[in-house]
Amino acid sequence: MFIIHRALPGACVLALGASLSGIADAQSRPDRDGDRDTVVVTGRRLTEEAARQVEKTPGGVDVVPADAFGDRLAVSLRDTLAFSPGVYTQPRFGQEVRLSIRGSGLSRGYHMRGILLFQDGAPINLADNNGDFQEFDPQVFERLEVYRGGNALRYGGSTLGGAINAVTPTGRTAPAVQARIDGGSFGTIRTFGAAGYATARGDAFLALATDRSDGDRQHATRDAIRFNGNVGLRLTDRIESRFYAGVNSIDQDLPGTLTRAQALGTPRLSLPVNILQDQERNIDSIRLQNRTDIALGAGHLAVGVFLNTKDLDHPIFQVIDQKSIDYGTYARLDLAGQLGGVPLEATLGSTARFGHVRARQFVNVRGARGAITADARQEAQTIDSYAELRARPLADLSLIAGGVFTHGRREVANRLQPKRSGEATYDAFAPKIGLLYEPATNIQVYANYSRSMELPGFAELNQVPFAVGGVVTPGFIPLDTQRAWTIEAGTRGTHGIASWDVTFYRADIRGELLQFDQAPDIPAATFNAGKTRHQGIEAGLDLAPLPWLRLRQTYQLNDFRFRRDAQFGNNRLPVVPEHLYRGELRFGTERLSMAPVLEYVTRGAWADYANTTRAPGYALLGLGARAQVRDGLLLFVDARNVTGKKAIGDISATVRATSASVIYYPVERPAVYGGLRASF
């Protein structure tokens, strides 16, 4: 049994874990670097090893290798995770997507909520759990690891949606030189260059990427440059220390939402107010991290520190100016051994995040700063301490138990209206139990029962409109933690021509953080709902009936609704459609292939909590093709929405939609892109 004390530091967690080392058998030691031939390990091999590790999880998990999206224009997480079961990704414009798992953050698509993002094990989310996935550049990644719901316990995640960890190459896994150029419709051009180098005692990886496009709508231009790099030092045969750096400069014009008629009739439009106010989201950020890995006789220890600085310039209804500094530390201990002849594995860890934000707002004067309307000092801390024990009493049966204890604190010092300041402290424990059964080779059946909790961030706590001299000013209001119990069961495996991953889940939620648009010129209000339920199916099925024919497909059933709500009864929750299917049929070989792609929504999502207006369903057709000219040289074509379908892709929830409601985002317009990848 593991007992985790309130706000337990990582060092204490690791000290507790050290007591398990006495029961652990000595593990095989890593090979020494005897010569240069043992230095480089392929990224594909590491991805396969990562898949084997996550498949020890008794629930919905997925590993997405870079090869899965390497032959298409990969701008956003929508392009990388479109075929990851259970991950709902719907583009809005550019890199802006709605990212949701199991209905996480479904009433707020901006800045993301309900999912923890990591890059190389270090958190991307700010200390209050809000985050900007625009800092992710898919071109850099070696793989993405997806942990849905309570399965994110591996990283200390306890949110409804779970966690995603993006892994960048190192000098040991990357090709010596990589280059890529993509381009096509709407003046789009993307470039990428990277180099890796390794010796027996050190390695380095450096990557530079650029991205520019006019976008498929008015006022949708984007321009970005990103740098990612890491340097690893093998201090001994058992200790490696790696230093990471990431620099992002991102400028994105915001075309915004449209009315239903505009989204379905003239999707190219941006409303005049967006253009007049020059609405944008511009991010300049620097991320620094150190991670040290220590191979123990009975396991593995990883410790790290990180620092993120961000400057957000965000002209919308007002000009939002936020300068933030987030820093923290994490530690994770993995042990393996036996007790009474029963194989055991244990994980203990803690991640502590601390953040400070200078948050100001100004009257928007054609995109420039006018009179100041808000000035606040926001401070947050979130400490997730976690433990998991995995026992294997039978060769084909594993039992898992663990939990996450989260301590959080949020404080807002409102300098313009001190009476509107406030603070809140949160403490919550999320346990999990599960089992994993392997009836045959390459076939698994699993089930688990877990609790999740989501602490409100500053976007929820400091967003209630408060009029001062006719100017809307945010003020603090304490909101409760969102809590849920989730049960899930499923199976994954490979047999014959089929590979599958199917999960059924039901989450009963109390205090779900829901949000709705009040008016076009003021921010949304957030409230804790009473009882809601999210349940559904997350399914992936690949079929390869012939060596030259492969069908890749995913399906989501999303049944999200109120439960006996005083105002909305048992209405369905808006934004995410009930049924979503994606399929890709690939003809050909690795050398030359063609792949039509289908995205099908039978009926669109509800637009409002009152369930008066529903978006129409749609079918989007795409076509991809690739040619491997020679080893290390790939050409591809990526055509999207080839029939020119006009449809609604995403929605900003409202209480009761009308024909005048400006809450709809159109789907991507027809486009053709092409690219060239080279590595050697």
Side-chain angles (χ1 to χ4, degrees), residues 52 77 110 136 188 251 260 278 289 309 366 379 396 399 409 415 442 505 510 542 563-564 566 667 677:
R52 286 192 291 269
L77 289 179
Y110 61 89
F136 270 0
T188 299
D251 296 336
R260 178 188 176 97
D278 195 18
Q289 178 197 172
T309 68
R366 296 184 179 274
E379 298 194 11
D396 54 5
L399 304 177
R409 186 172 180 274
R415 298 181 178 183
N442 296 326
Y505 70 91
R510 288 180 178 267
D542 289 7
R563 298 179 63 200
R564 299 181 296 278
V667 299
R677 289 173 49 198

Side-chain angles (χ1 to χ4, degrees), residues 302-639:
V303 295
V305 294
F306 55 88
L307 171 68
N308 303 332
T309 68
K310 182 183 297 185
D311 189 342
L312 174 65
D313 174 35
H314 193 11
I316 45 175
F317 73 102
Q318 294 184 0
V319 178
I320 296 176
D321 180 351
Q322 294 185 358
K323 293 178 173 57
S324 61
I325 298 177
D326 287 77
Y327 57 92
T329 183
Y330 62 92
R332 175 186 172 91
L333 176 65
D334 292 299
L335 296 171
Q338 291 188 354
L339 181 62
V342 177
L344 297 176
E345 294 182 10
T347 297
L348 302 103
S350 187
T351 300
R353 289 173 286 149
F354 307 90
H356 308 276
V357 183
R358 176 74 185 278
R360 296 184 296 170
Q361 293 180 199
F362 303 85
V363 172
N364 186 327
V365 182
R366 296 184 179 274
R369 291 163 172 75
I372 191 168
T373 60
D375 188 355
R377 172 78 171 182
Q378 302 175 164
E379 298 194 11
Q381 61 176 252
T382 302
I383 303 174
D384 298 309
S385 300
Y386 56 98
E388 184 178 67
L389 180 65
R390 299 175 292 280
R392 195 162 188 164
L394 301 174
D396 54 5
L397 178 66
S398 298
L399 304 177
I400 295 93
V404 183
F405 187 91
T406 294
H407 167 72
R409 186 172 180 274
R410 312 285 187 261
E411 181 180 355
V412 176
N414 193 322
R415 298 181 178 183
L416 290 188
Q417 292 290 320
K419 292 182 179 181
R420 300 293 293 172
S421 301
E423 61 180 272
T425 301
Y426 304 91
D427 293 287
F429 178 62
K432 174 185 175 180
I433 57 172
L435 61 86
L436 181 65
Y437 175 56
E438 301 179 66
T441 302
N442 296 326
I443 297 177
Q444 295 182 323
V445 179
Y446 52 80
N448 72 66
Y449 187 54
S450 64
R451 191 184 191 217
S452 65
M453 64 267 185
E454 292 182 23
L455 312 186
F458 292 128
E460 290 81 30
L461 296 171
N462 195 39
Q463 55 79 57
V464 177
F466 179 68
V468 179
V471 177
V472 175
T473 298
F476 184 90
I477 185 172
L479 292 173
D480 201 359
T481 304
Q482 174 181 307
R483 308 167 304 282
W485 285 98
T486 301
I487 185 170
E488 68 176 286
T491 176
R492 57 178 168 255
T494 301
H495 183 72
I497 66 170
S499 298
W500 68 89
D501 184 344
V502 181
T503 302
F504 302 83
Y505 70 91
R506 171 180 284 186
D508 287 324
I509 308 172
R510 288 180 178 267
E512 183 170 1
L513 292 163
L514 294 179
Q515 196 169 49
F516 56 87
D517 287 337
Q518 298 185 95
D521 59 343
I522 59 176
T526 300
F527 60 94
N528 286 111
K531 295 180 180 180
T532 54
R533 173 173 288 167
H534 293 200
Q535 60 186 357
I537 300 173
E538 305 163 331
L541 175 62
D542 289 7
L543 299 173
L546 297 168
W548 50 268
L549 182 64
R550 177 194 173 195
L551 175 62
R552 181 170 61 152
Q553 52 192 341
T554 60
Y555 166 74
Q556 293 180 32
L557 170 64
N558 305 302
D559 182 9
F560 310 147
R561 62 177 68 233
F562 290 101
R563 298 179 63 200
R564 299 181 296 278
D565 185 80
Q567 182 177 1
F568 301 112
N570 293 321
N571 283 2
R572 290 189 181 274
L573 293 169
V575 175
V576 177
E578 186 177 0
H579 302 280
L580 172 64
Y581 172 85
R582 290 188 178 119
E584 177 190 77
L585 186 62
R586 185 172 293 274
F587 302 88
T589 66
E590 287 295 312
R591 287 290 182 184
L592 182 65
S593 66
M594 180 178 66
V597 181
L598 169 67
E599 176 174 305
Y600 180 46
V601 172
T602 57
R603 292 189 301 172
W606 289 106
D608 53 8
Y609 296 109
N611 286 181
T612 63
T613 304
R614 185 196 289 271
Y618 62 84
L620 297 181
L621 296 176
L623 182 64
R626 56 176 286 164
Q628 192 83 37
V629 179
R630 60 175 178 79
D631 290 346
L633 185 61
L634 174 71
L635 294 170
F636 72 87
V637 175
D638 181 9

